Amino acid sequence: MRAAVLRATGSIATNRLTIEERALPPLGEGEILVTVRACGVCRTDLNIVEGDLRPHHPTIVPGHQIVGIVAQAAEGVALAVGTRVGISWLGGTDGTCAFCREGRENLCDAPVFTGYDVDGGYATSVVARADFAHPLDERLDDVQAAPLLCAGIIGFRALRVAGVRPGEHVGLYGFGASAHLALPVLKSWGCSVSVVTRGENHRAFAEQLGADWVGKESDRPPHALDRAVTFAPSGDVVIAALGALRKGGVVAINAIHLDRIPQFDYDSLLWGEREIRSVTNMTRADARDFLELAATIGIKPAVTAFSLDQANEALRAVKNDTINGAAVITPFNDTVSR
Ligand SMILES: [Zn+2]
Ligand SMILES: [Zn+2]
């Protein structure tokens, strides 16, 4: 198999991943070997590669938005060879901690994250726990399904954490891979969606996807927001979202890493039972519910494909926001040109 391997973290301005040949890994109990058809590139991959997230292993293969075909299954596994599955960030939990037992496996005390604790999908093959692999509806395309598996699921969870109800005014702050998948979900719920984002091309893209109002960071949406979700890794954006919220509204922060939370005025921004919540990981129920909705309403993410050899380039594209929608690595297609 071939894999893009991280051996030393640092700025992606220089290539951090090396393409290596390696033997297929052996299967453990309850595991499957998956031939990768597509793997989305997430901002979290960038945080891992650049070292914003402390390395858990001296080497790792990133990638946790994996679409592939089961090539081999350990004895007793219910998934048949040939099944198409999706593998996401939550690669495993202990199933026994207090959080798992109360149905909050996203907060598990001993989680296993794909592409961080175990090797991920920037590769031609990957091993995963069968009980954390999601069979994919045939209405979902390989490459387009990849960004659904983290950006999509976590964006959907963020809407749940924000407590969005049908018909509400919702603000999306930042318009990258996750937000552009949350927008069609909100439209399917009859919500009015305001998008606040810095990049002019992102604003045009949001308009094209049916946002009801689009503005810059310094602009204020036309209606006070019932809910807001922030996607940028910036505390200033959280404060901007708070400033647009009605009393009793919620800001959900969809970022695994934030630069800082600046000092802000409690009286005008948080009083009135406004709330700030963080969005942490995902549950298998989030994945199941979102993937079903995505197939039903026909969410078609905008994707830009990269070959495995272009993995560093794909990460730079995410870092520098040079593409609309999501970057996806297709490891068996080395002919992608740009
Ligand atoms: Zn647990
Ligand atoms: Zn992710």
Side-chain angles (χ1 to χ4, degrees):
M1 62 171 281
R2 296 171 72 228
V5 184
L6 176 69
R7 294 186 175 276
T9 60
S11 167
I12 195 66
T14 49
N15 287 354
R16 295 291 157 187
L17 301 173
T18 54
I19 311 300
E20 300 178 9
E21 293 281 344
R22 38 165 73 180
L24 282 176
L27 284 190
E29 198 182 325
E31 289 182 336
I32 49 175
L33 177 72
V34 173
T35 304
V36 180
R37 284 193 169 175
C39 182
V41 177
C42 178
R43 189 162 282 276
T44 303
D45 300 339
L46 189 64
N47 293 147
I48 290 169
V49 167
E50 296 204 314
D52 293 321
L53 293 177
R54 188 180 57 79
H56 285 182
H57 293 289
T59 72
I60 195 76
V61 177
H64 57 267
Q65 306 186 89
I66 307 166
V67 173
I69 305 291
V70 178
Q72 206 183 319
E75 220 179 290
V77 164
L79 280 174
V81 168
T83 308
R84 192 172 65 132
V85 292
I87 296 157
S88 66
W89 176 239
L90 191 67
T93 58
D94 57 10
T96 56
C97 75
F99 296 104
C100 283
R101 281 187 280 122
E102 66 174 33
R104 303 175 80 189
E105 65 182 6
N106 61 307
L107 300 180
C108 179
D109 284 333
V112 173
F113 296 125
T114 310
Y116 187 39
D117 296 306
V118 292
D119 285 336
Y122 289 16
T124 52
S125 293
V126 65
V127 168
R129 261 178 70 168
D131 53 348
F132 282 79
H134 311 283
L136 292 176
D137 189 291
E138 60 185 20
R139 289 172 288 181
L140 298 169
D141 165 85
D142 285 342
V143 176
Q144 287 191 319
L148 303 181
L149 288 159
C150 178
I153 297 167
I154 292 189
F156 178 72
R157 180 175 181 83
L159 301 182
R160 283 185 159 170
V161 168
V164 175
R165 290 192 285 256
E168 285 189 327
H169 291 295
V170 180
L172 302 177
Y173 284 72
F175 203 68
S178 212
H180 102 281
L181 298 175
L183 178 55
V185 173
L186 289 167
K187 297 309 292 179
S188 79
W189 292 343
C191 292
S192 142
V193 184
S194 294
V195 172
V196 179
T197 185
R198 201 169 35 183
E200 199 185 328
N201 56 335
H202 285 2
R203 287 197 295 275
F205 187 45
E207 226 153 45
Q208 185 191 325
L209 292 184
D212 297 276
W213 178 88
V214 175
K216 300 191 288 286
E217 272 168 325
S218 52
D219 297 337
R220 179 70 68 92
H223 302 278
L225 300 174
D226 300 305
R227 321 279 160 183
V229 180
T230 67
F231 296 90
S234 151
D236 290 324
V237 171
V238 174
I239 303 309
L242 268 180
L245 215 56
R246 66 154 165 85
K247 287 181 284 188
V250 177
V251 174
I253 304 173
N254 185 350
I256 194 168
H257 167 77
L258 212 57
D259 53 358
R260 76 205 201 290
I261 288 277
Q263 198 169 43
F264 65 91
D265 183 53
Y266 168 82
D267 300 18
S268 60
L269 291 175
L270 198 59
W271 191 73
E273 302 199 344
R274 294 174 177 89
E275 290 178 56
I276 304 177
R277 296 179 187 162
S278 66
V279 181
T280 302
N281 305 324
M282 46 163 283
T283 65
R284 280 172 284 181
D286 295 327
R288 185 193 56 227
D289 296 347
F290 172 70
L291 291 170
E292 192 182 308
L293 180 66
T296 304
I297 66 176
I299 296 182
K300 301 258 185 289
V303 292
T304 302
F306 293 80
S307 70
L308 187 58
D309 296 319
Q310 294 168 318
N312 291 291
E313 202 178 307
L315 285 164
R316 273 193 288 276
V318 169
K319 178 169 188 175
N320 301 327
D321 259 345
T322 54
I323 53 172
N324 271 329
V328 175
I329 292 172
T330 52
F332 287 99
N333 180 4
D334 285 333
T335 59
V336 179
S337 59
R338 46 185 33 80

